[in-house]
Amino acid sequence: MNATEFKIRYRTANLSERSLAQQHFLDLCEVLGHRRPAEADPTGESFTFEKAVQKTAGGKGFADVWKKGFFGWEYKGAGGDLKKAYQQLLQYREALDNPPLLVVCDTQRIVIHTNFTNTPHTEYEMLLEEIDTPQNMERLRALFSDPTRLRPGVTRTAITEAAAAKLAQIAQSMRSRGLEAHAVAHFLDRIIFCLFAEDIELLPANLFSRIVANTRGDTVRFSRQIQTLFEAMAHGGDFGADAIRYFNGNLFNDSAVLDLTVPEIEAVRQAADLDWGAVDPSILGTLFERGLDPKNRTQLGAHYTSREDIETIIEPVVLTPLRREWDEVRQSVETMLKRDTVAARRQADQRLQQFVARLGQVTVLDPACGSANFLYVTLQKLKDLEKQVIDYALSQNFTAFLPEVGPWQLYGLELNPYAADLAQMTVWIGYLQWLRDHGYLVADNPVLRSTDNIRCQDAVIDLSDPAHPQEPEWPKVDFIVGNPPFLGDKVMRGSLGDDYVAALRKLYGGRLAGQSDLCCYWFEKARQQIQDGRCKRAGLLATQGIRGGANRKVLERIKETGDIFFAVSDRDWILDGANVHVSMVGFDGGTEQERVLDGHPTPEIHINLSGAVNVTQAARLSANTGICYLGVMKAGDFDITDAAAQSMLAAPNPHHRPNSDVLRPRLTARDILQRGGKGWIIDFGCETTEDEGAYYEAPWQYISANVKPVREQNRRSRMAVKWWLHGEARPGMRRSLTGLNRFIVTPEVSKHRIFIWLDAVYLADHQTRAIARSDDYSFGVLQSRVHELWARSQGTQLRESESGFRYTPSTCFETFPFPEPTEQQRTAIGVAAAALNELREGWLNPPDWMREEILSFPGAFDGPWSRYVIGPGPQGVGTVHFPRLIARDPDCGQKLATRTLTNLYNQMPAWLVNAHKRLDSAVCSAYGWPSDIEDSEIVVRLLALNLEGSK
């Protein structure tokens, strides 16, 4: 039979559904040259008529035709209700293994509904009279042989991005007219919900779109009709000839309408053309918030956090214990059913109903909920689990249970009023979407519930009475999840203000270290909720800095009152549209027995979010104190160029002292790693008085103009009063370096842990660590693999591994157990270290490309340049002759630009590898270890030495 014959045969057919279905399908197989079900699959396991299924809403049913991995098919008699047929297929869908296509038809038309993951729902309708067109035949062939050819080309993500962009355009236009921001947000929330409601047929078909189309040139009429619609949705009733459901809910608790301009109404009309039923609530709120909030508009078009990212923390914290409960319930039910008695079935039925009721009582709080992405994903996961339970009950022939999980179980705290307003809409759209997608009817009385679960407030401090700050109370819930704000200690004052930060530090002073990042306050509040019995489990995100330094204190407290059962130490994340790296931490009161770290089971998760040997036990060693320091923290513009320094060095002063007393070359981490310029710094030491400093005219004039005005605005009185001194001048470091011609320096943060020698006239910057040792032996031990492994285990990873880790004196250096070598071993380490340094310097500064330059300027014999002073006079002032290497010529300078330590260690040439091997072998020998010892064993042995040495 060909397509034309098929069309003729069924043009006048008026058979019942039962009489029609199988013959129609067999004829269609013949037209397409496709084997019939009995021919293709005699067993009926993957292609069959009358496939028995369990309906989602209860009871058994039969799909008229089913081909596994291809389609489910439902027939209706001539003039039958194909929408009803589609609803039936939605209830069969899971039992049919979620086929990519759902087909309904009668004698006059075939409608193919797509059912692909993460794509919008699309319909392909084929009328009988057009069945033989090339396009329709191609669709039918794809239906039977390759469903992916019918996959919609536009994803849910693309639709959501387009929808959010269009609404953001309207929001910006309204705000530019001076309309109040929160009123704009609330009004547009209701517009979004109406667009969504009409596309999933909660409103009469195309009702909202018709209003917009009919009134777009008449702004007054548009406002009046929209207000009437909002009133009808709030209470239920009529809108013209259309009956409107009772929506209720906070979205429509007032019918206030903001006037739109003609262009804005046209933009709403364009937005209405999109498929709002396919929007993804997990990202819609974020995207729309960016468009609403002027502070976030620069992020339009930037990346956002995906549902899969959010599930990474939701699954182990919320779903794992609930799935565990469900497994226990199912096993107990199956045990009861094996008894095969009426009493046992009744008991099993009650057990299942109790668990469904239990899921309907689970409560979740996101204390930094934003536009409710975490809450939305949590709701979806809870609904999926609830449906799994209900489907199981149906498969055992129990009475269908009504689903109970809904948005009313979700709680949120959010300071941003834009986001707080969006949050409620996000979870309700997600909830209604889930019901539609799974074939459940939406309640009519009312469609939405009024809740006040999403509160617009500060989650960690209540400043309603500024003189008496208090901790705000969080709702009592089962689970806490979320993504607290990421603000580091050093930027909190600039972002939040001095008064806010001071009040926050004071309020939590006995529980958190004063230098804690902002997210730590959410961790501490969640920990307290668990300790007080107001929560069972929590899962929060943090910057990677939570694993070290002052931040680690909050994880220590979590371990003291409970435990960490889940962690991801390093994961890509999206923050304000940018890629960052975070840590995820799941914790409870200590009841969870299973622990998972970075996706793998582990017996323990330590406070540095590692599962290996617990190096956080390491104690500071007295032998290592007073050696390693942070460099100076300037807290002002004390840096000057080489040209400015040369001019100042040559200038005289009224008290006949040289400016070299207060001018020194400076070194930053970038200078170490990337071959920085010839920087200088003005340095008045630690004790210079204002009167004494003023004698150094040129340097004093410079800092008076560039440092003093800024310092006088600083609330820290010491910084304002002694404005000519560095913010942290490091007197301890200066004392320890006294008498040394050179000292060891390493960057605070680096990918490769590199140590270099620095002449003692240099001043180490706060981005470096200065180590008061001048011997090759100490340099060699620190530059060895042994010390690097220890430092990495104690330091804090910064973002991704490429960005490096932070070297902290108290944890990386002061806990490190040096070996106790023989004199021969000490010498061997020193020789290997000197050889390594000489090779590196030869590569960095090839003699053929360099020349020595001698800087000459006045210098005092008792000043920082004393070692280079020649011919001091009666007052102890002579001439400094300071040698430094510079490029031989511009061509050599250009070639030297790529000769950096970072590039060298990225390349790791063979000669460098061999030099490090010789050094590592010498250091291991001093510890009494084999040179091929495993990295993990080195850390274990170093910890043992530390614990022994700290007794």
Side-chain angles (χ1 to χ4, degrees):
M1 178 181 294
N2 60 36
T4 302
E5 291 170 337
F6 179 89
K7 186 163 57 175
I8 293 170
R9 171 174 290 187
Y10 289 95
R11 183 177 291 156
T12 58
N14 191 24
L15 303 173
S16 66
E17 176 184 340
R18 183 176 295 277
S19 302
L20 164 75
Q22 295 193 11
Q23 188 58 51
H24 183 275
F25 187 86
L26 293 173
D27 288 344
L28 194 57
C29 287
E30 184 176 349
V31 169
L32 297 171
H34 192 278
R35 289 196 298 169
R36 298 171 180 179
E39 297 170 342
D41 180 21
T43 65
E45 293 180 359
S46 62
F47 191 13
T48 186
F49 291 109
E50 298 294 318
K51 171 67 175 177
V53 294
Q54 287 289 151
K55 295 182 182 180
T56 300
K60 290 185 176 180
F62 296 87
D64 289 331
V65 197
W66 171 66
K67 186 178 182 185
K68 186 175 183 179
F70 287 75
F71 55 74
W73 196 306
E74 189 69 14
Y75 275 87
K76 289 295 178 184
D81 187 348
L82 296 189
K83 287 186 177 180
K84 184 177 180 181
Y86 178 58
Q87 289 300 316
Q88 284 182 262
L89 280 177
L90 286 176
Q91 294 194 34
Y92 298 163
R93 180 167 51 178
E94 277 74 20
L96 297 176
D97 295 332
N98 253 318
L101 302 172
L102 302 175
V103 186
V104 294
C105 80
D106 59 17
T107 56
Q108 300 304 304
R109 57 183 177 146
I110 300 173
V111 183
I112 302 172
H113 295 261
T114 61
N115 187 41
F116 295 93
T117 302
N118 194 33
T119 65
H121 168 249
T122 301
E123 295 179 16
Y124 302 102
E125 182 173 355
M126 294 169 280
L127 300 178
L128 177 65
E129 291 303 317
E130 299 169 356
I131 197 77
D132 53 353
T133 64
Q135 183 183 50
N136 283 336
M137 291 302 294
E138 183 63 22
R139 287 172 176 168
L140 287 171
R141 291 190 184 96
L143 170 66
F144 279 78
S145 60
D146 185 8
T148 59
R149 284 153 51 194
L150 296 177
R151 181 190 295 272
V154 181
T155 64
R156 292 184 68 191
T157 297
I159 290 174
T160 308
E161 290 174 344
K166 184 58 66 177
L167 267 294
Q169 172 191 335
I170 300 168
Q172 291 177 34
S173 175
M174 295 175 73
R175 292 285 289 118
S176 70
R177 295 192 285 116
L179 295 175
E180 195 273 325
H182 193 242
V184 170
H186 188 58
F187 176 65
L188 291 179
D189 281 349
R190 288 178 289 171
I191 294 290
I192 289 174
F193 189 84
C194 288
L195 293 170
F196 169 76
E198 75 168 4
D199 279 358
I200 68 166
E201 299 183 355
L202 290 177
L203 286 174
N206 299 316
L207 174 63
F208 189 84
S209 296
R210 281 187 275 124
I211 294 173
V212 177
N214 293 335
T215 62
R216 56 183 171 169
D218 187 339
T219 59
V220 174
R221 188 161 164 253
F222 172 83
S223 296
R224 187 169 56 246
Q225 292 214 19
I226 293 298
Q227 182 171 4
T228 302
L229 176 61
F230 286 174
E231 290 172 348
M233 294 175 75
H235 307 290
D238 295 326
F239 181 83
D242 293 300
I244 304 299
R245 295 185 186 218
Y246 172 31
F247 281 84
N248 193 18
N250 297 356
L251 272 178
F252 297 98
N253 56 6
D254 69 79
S255 58
V257 170
L258 301 181
D259 292 330
L260 298 185
T261 64
V262 171
E264 289 164 357
I265 297 174
E266 173 59 22
V268 173
R269 187 198 66 77
Q270 294 172 9
D273 290 338
L274 297 168
D275 182 3
W276 285 85
V279 298
D280 184 351
S282 69
I283 61 174
L284 175 66
T286 296
L287 298 179
F288 187 33
E289 181 191 345
R290 290 176 183 173
L292 280 171
D293 194 338
K295 294 184 298 184
N296 295 330
R297 284 181 194 156
T298 56
Q299 300 164 25
L300 286 171
H303 297 294
Y304 42 80
T305 304
S306 70
R307 173 176 176 144
E308 291 73 21
D309 289 329
I310 296 170
E311 286 179 349
T312 305
I313 191 79
I314 298 298
E315 275 287 344
V317 174
V318 179
L319 273 299
T320 292
L322 294 177
R323 293 191 203 284
R324 194 180 293 150
E325 284 185 47
W326 166 230
D327 287 341
E328 294 172 357
V329 168
R330 187 173 56 223
Q331 290 173 15
S332 67
V333 166
E334 289 174 355
T335 300
M336 296 172 195
L337 293 178
K338 287 178 182 178
R339 297 206 297 266
D340 196 21
T341 65
V342 173
R345 282 194 61 81
R346 186 181 302 114
Q347 186 180 5
D349 182 62
Q350 291 175 349
R351 188 77 176 90
L352 290 170
Q353 291 192 51
Q354 288 169 359
F355 186 70
V356 171
R358 152 86 171 114
L359 291 178
Q361 295 169 357
V362 170
T363 49
V364 182
L365 167 68
D366 183 344
C369 71
S371 49
N373 295 0
F374 275 69
L375 293 176
Y376 160 79
V377 173
T378 303
L379 176 63
Q380 297 283 296
K381 303 296 285 185
L382 289 173
K383 291 295 294 179
D384 289 344
L385 178 57
E386 179 186 52
K387 184 176 183 299
Q388 183 182 344
V389 178
I390 293 174
D391 287 349
Y392 173 80
L394 292 172
S395 72
Q396 301 299 323
N397 297 315
F398 288 111
T399 304
F401 305 143
L402 292 176
E404 299 190 25
V405 172
W408 43 88
Q409 299 168 230
L410 308 177
Y411 294 80
L413 304 176
E414 174 53 45
L415 187 59
N416 186 332
Y418 297 105
D421 208 58
L422 284 165
Q424 179 181 230
M425 183 192 66
T426 297
V427 295
W428 273 106
I429 285 181
Y431 172 69
L432 296 172
Q433 223 175 30
W434 189 96
L435 292 178
R436 181 203 61 170
D437 290 346
H438 292 84
Y440 286 95
L441 296 177
V442 175
D444 283 329
N445 293 309
V447 174
L448 309 176
R449 292 191 195 178
S450 293
T451 65
D452 58 358
N453 292 2
I454 308 293
R455 302 207 302 259
C456 186
Q457 68 166 72
D458 192 309
V460 293
I461 189 168
D462 179 0
L463 291 172
S464 54
D465 179 1
H468 302 92
Q470 298 181 47
E471 281 189 53
E473 184 175 284
W474 287 7
K476 182 179 181 181
V477 293
D478 295 307
F479 304 101
I480 293 173
V481 294
N483 183 6
F486 292 173
L487 281 180
D489 168 53
K490 292 182 176 61
V491 299
M492 283 174 62
R493 289 185 181 273
S495 297
L496 303 175
D498 290 325
D499 291 338
Y500 181 95
V501 173
L504 190 67
R505 301 286 196 219
K506 182 178 180 181
L507 187 62
Y508 291 84
R511 294 150 62 184
L512 293 177
Q515 298 77 38
S516 298
D517 291 350
L518 185 59
C519 66
C520 293
Y521 294 86
W522 272 258
F523 275 78
E524 170 58 21
K525 282 285 292 181
R527 183 207 65 79
Q528 191 69 55
Q529 289 283 104
I530 293 171
Q531 184 180 16
D532 293 345
R534 296 177 57 81
C535 178
K536 296 174 183 176
R537 293 158 73 100
L540 299 173
L541 274 68
T543 57
Q544 288 194 9
I546 200 166
R547 298 184 289 170
N551 294 326
R552 189 183 284 178
K553 174 68 174 177
V554 74
L555 297 185
E556 289 179 3
R557 287 179 62 80
I558 285 171
K559 296 278 284 185
E560 288 168 1
T561 61
D563 208 352
I564 299 170
F565 62 81
F566 169 82
V568 176
S569 60
D570 179 5
R571 181 180 172 89
D572 293 344
W573 199 257
I574 302 296
L575 174 64
D576 296 336
N579 289 301
V580 298
H581 282 248
V582 301
S583 296
M584 298 179 174
V585 186
F587 51 99
D588 68 352
T591 58
E592 178 61 69
Q593 299 302 306
E594 297 179 2
R595 287 160 182 74
V596 177
L597 173 65
D598 295 331
H600 303 288
T602 182
E604 183 75 11
I605 299 176
H606 306 304
I607 59 174
N608 62 349
L609 302 188
S610 76
V613 57
N614 187 9
V615 295
T616 63
Q617 301 175 77
R620 296 185 186 183
L621 302 173
S622 59
N624 290 8
T625 58
I627 298 173
C628 182
Y629 297 90
L630 277 70
V632 297
M633 176 81 75
K634 300 185 292 288
D637 184 13
F638 291 88
D639 293 328
I640 57 175
T641 65
D642 188 58
Q646 299 303 321
S647 175
M648 290 183 187
L649 287 168
N653 290 312
H655 66 334
H656 306 300
R657 294 287 300 186
N659 280 329
S660 60
D661 285 355
V662 296
L663 293 177
R664 301 175 67 174
R666 64 118 172 93
L667 189 90
T668 68
R670 188 177 185 280
D671 295 329
I672 296 174
L673 300 170
Q674 298 295 335
R675 200 178 197 100
K678 304 166 187 172
W680 290 74
I681 189 168
I682 298 172
D683 173 38
F684 282 94
C686 303
E687 304 296 336
T688 303
T689 66
E690 188 171 8
D691 286 344
E692 292 169 343
Y695 287 116
Y696 298 93
E697 288 187 330
W700 191 261
Q701 183 179 7
Y702 179 88
I703 63 171
S704 295
N706 294 281
V707 176
K708 184 179 181 181
V710 178
R711 284 286 192 89
E712 287 179 339
Q713 301 300 315
N714 197 297
R715 293 175 63 91
R716 295 169 65 185
S717 59
R718 177 178 59 82
M719 301 279 280
V721 173
K722 293 193 174 184
W723 57 266
W724 60 93
L725 302 180
H726 294 158
E728 300 293 346
R730 312 298 185 201
M733 176 188 75
R734 295 169 190 264
R735 286 192 297 270
S736 294
L737 294 177
T738 300
L740 300 181
N741 290 337
R742 65 178 184 176
F743 61 98
I744 303 168
V745 180
T746 190
E748 175 190 24
V749 175
S750 63
K751 173 184 174 182
H752 308 287
R753 185 45 49 193
I754 297 171
F755 295 82
I756 67 165
W757 286 115
L758 194 61
D759 191 293
V761 297
Y762 278 82
L763 192 62
D765 181 86
H766 73 278
Q767 295 176 346
T768 69
R769 303 294 179 253
I771 299 162
R773 287 289 181 268
S774 61
D775 58 289
D776 287 324
Y777 161 75
S778 296
F779 180 90
V781 174
L782 294 174
Q783 188 60 88
S784 72
R785 164 183 163 227
V786 172
H787 182 65
E788 177 165 8
L789 289 170
W790 181 257
R792 286 188 179 278
S793 74
Q794 293 284 350
T796 305
Q797 179 69 41
L798 198 73
R799 302 186 300 277
E800 73 286 349
S801 59
E802 287 295 313
S803 299
F805 74 99
R806 179 176 285 107
Y807 190 94
T808 306
S810 59
T811 57
C812 297
F813 183 88
E814 293 180 8
T815 63
F816 177 67
F818 279 79
E820 297 179 359
T822 64
E823 195 58 39
Q824 185 177 4
Q825 290 169 334
R826 178 184 292 270
T827 300
I829 291 172
V831 169
L836 169 62
N837 184 64
E838 184 177 356
L839 288 169
R840 286 194 321 201
E841 288 298 314
W843 184 87
L844 288 168
N845 303 301
D848 292 344
W849 297 358
M850 311 300 296
R851 66 181 178 86
E852 188 175 74
E853 175 186 60
I854 304 295
L855 295 183
S856 296
F857 49 85
F861 194 69
D862 59 351
W865 298 86
S866 59
R867 186 159 59 96
Y868 296 100
V869 173
I870 296 174
Q875 293 182 324
V877 177
T879 301
V880 171
H881 286 183
F882 179 65
R884 67 181 184 183
L885 290 175
I886 62 172
R888 186 176 296 277
D889 53 46
D891 182 55
C892 290
Q894 190 172 6
K895 290 188 290 186
L896 284 168
T898 61
R899 294 274 174 137
T900 69
L901 281 172
T902 295
N903 287 342
L904 175 62
Y905 275 82
N906 282 339
Q907 297 167 14
M908 284 303 291
W911 62 263
L912 183 61
V913 172
N914 293 335
H916 271 283
K917 283 183 177 178
R918 288 189 288 270
L919 175 60
D920 292 341
S921 179
V923 172
C924 285
S925 177
Y927 280 101
W929 304 337
S931 58
D932 60 352
I933 184 173
E934 294 288 335
D935 289 355
S936 58
E937 182 62 21
I938 287 177
V939 176
V940 170
R941 295 191 184 192
L942 287 173
L943 178 60
L945 290 172
N946 169 278
L947 297 176
E948 180 65 27
S950 62
K951 291 180 180 178

